Amino acid sequence: MYFITLSSLVIALFFTACTSVPLPVQKQPKIAIAFGGGAAKGFAHIGVIKILEQNGIKPTIITGTSAGSVIGSLYASGLSGIQIQQIAMSLNEDDLTDYTFSSAGVVKGEALQNFINKEVGNLPIEKLVIPFGAVATNKETGEAAVFRSGNTGQAVRASASIPNVFQPVKIGKNTYVDGGLVQPVPVEAAKNMGADVIIAIDISAKPTKGTKGFWATIDQSINIMNQVALNKQLKMADVVIHPNIDNIGSLSFEQRHQAIFEGEKAAIAALPAIKKAIRDSYLTKP
């Protein structure tokens, strides 16, 4: 026989009532990485990815412009920083540059498109592991276009089509060129995709004086792109990572190790700010 006192019954009812009230659940902030453009200096992005991964910082949103869309698409496909580095180490300039004689541009861009599609397993953007946006510029309107579905390689090709170097890319009824004209570092695209914390990687350093060759031309083209647009994008970021790549110019393919190393160093220096931004986002989110 069991004896239940009035006081014990009240206590039991109290705890039952308490447990039936749902407690507020703190949502994890959506972390985005916005990979900026900068031609072959984009190897620095790989170093940043490696350090963030080592510290358990994983994005739920990825955006990329030009070279940043190349690295960003590979990362969004599920490849790790180490895997992307392995791909980069075996990459040759000729793998991405299919030269042609045309007033529209000396590089067709088909090689780049095919390379990306091969490395991401021919997945369309909407099927990538992490939501991804490739930023290009509508040639007719001058407005930003953020590709979030469709042919991944084609979107990256459009994003990286530097005017007068790469041929413009026709997608649907519109023609597109390099996204660096409107969002050199695609922070705005990440914000529009719902990011709470945005980590921007700016690799737009000027090339070394006296550098010559194809990639030097690209460096110069990127350097004269809209600086106002760059400043606008960086102001919207929570943390900006600036790899020290001032001395990496036209020989960037040969200096890929150095670029990756500089990305690692810059990411390590930015870790306290990144962790604080994530922590602060937890405190402010309902």
Side-chain angles (χ1 to χ4, degrees):
M1 182 177 293
Y2 296 93
F3 297 94
I4 302 178
T5 65
L6 180 60
S7 59
S8 62
L9 180 59
V10 171
I11 293 172
L13 290 173
F14 172 77
F15 281 107
T16 301
C18 288
T19 55
S20 65
V21 177
L23 297 174
V25 178
Q26 195 173 42
K27 296 179 181 179
Q28 289 190 339
K30 293 181 179 180
I31 302 171
I33 300 180
F35 293 97
K41 293 189 289 292
F43 288 117
H45 289 315
I46 301 173
V48 174
I49 291 172
K50 289 171 60 182
I51 295 303
L52 296 182
E53 285 183 330
Q54 290 171 14
N55 286 271
I57 300 170
K58 299 181 179 180
T60 52
I61 295 170
I62 294 173
T63 58
T65 292
S66 201
S69 71
V70 174
I71 300 299
S73 65
L74 299 179
Y75 193 29
S77 74
L79 295 171
S80 68
I82 293 296
Q83 289 173 316
I84 298 173
Q85 179 172 314
Q86 291 170 344
I87 293 171
M89 289 303 103
S90 62
L91 187 66
N92 295 313
E93 182 181 328
D94 294 340
D95 295 331
L96 305 180
T97 51
D98 43 359
Y99 294 102
T100 186
F101 293 100
S102 172
S103 59
V106 297
V107 179
K108 290 187 290 185
E110 293 175 359
L112 172 61
Q113 176 174 325
N114 294 336
F115 166 79
I116 293 296
N117 281 333
K118 174 176 175 285
E119 296 299 337
V120 303
N122 291 309
L123 290 174
I125 295 175
E126 66 271 19
K127 296 293 184 181
L128 297 177
V129 176
I130 302 172
F132 172 64
V135 178
T137 303
N138 186 308
K139 189 173 182 291
E140 283 73 32
T141 66
E143 297 176 347
V146 183
F147 292 98
R148 297 182 56 184
S149 63
N151 188 307
T152 302
Q154 188 180 48
V156 170
R157 175 185 174 187
S159 178
S161 291
I162 299 170
N164 301 317
V165 179
F166 283 77
Q167 294 182 350
V169 180
K170 182 87 170 180
I171 301 178
K173 297 180 180 180
N174 298 310
T175 303
Y176 300 93
V177 294
D178 196 288
L181 293 168
V182 285
Q183 293 188 28
V185 183
V187 177
E188 187 174 355
K191 186 176 290 291
N192 290 339
M193 289 174 67
D196 299 308
V197 177
I198 303 175
I199 303 166
I201 310 173
D202 177 23
I203 55 169
S204 60
K206 295 181 181 180
T208 305
K209 292 182 179 179
T211 55
K212 299 178 181 181
F214 175 73
W215 287 110
T217 302
I218 292 182
D219 281 348
Q220 294 289 359
S221 298
I222 291 173
N223 187 48
I224 63 175
M225 286 183 180
N226 197 341
Q227 290 296 313
V228 175
L230 174 62
N231 294 333
K232 175 185 175 182
Q233 295 300 312
L234 296 183
K235 286 179 180 179
M236 291 188 288
D238 295 283
V239 180
V240 180
I241 299 176
H242 295 282
N244 182 13
I245 49 176
D246 291 353
N247 295 321
I248 298 176
S250 62
L251 299 179
S252 292
F253 267 76
E254 287 72 17
Q255 293 176 286
R256 68 193 80 184
H257 282 290
Q258 183 64 26
I260 293 172
F261 179 59
E262 293 298 339
E264 292 175 350
K265 289 199 301 182
I268 291 172
L271 279 175
I274 294 172
K275 292 178 179 179
K276 182 180 184 302
I278 295 172
R279 185 170 60 251
D280 289 348
S281 180
Y282 268 111
L283 295 175
T284 57
K285 283 186 69 65

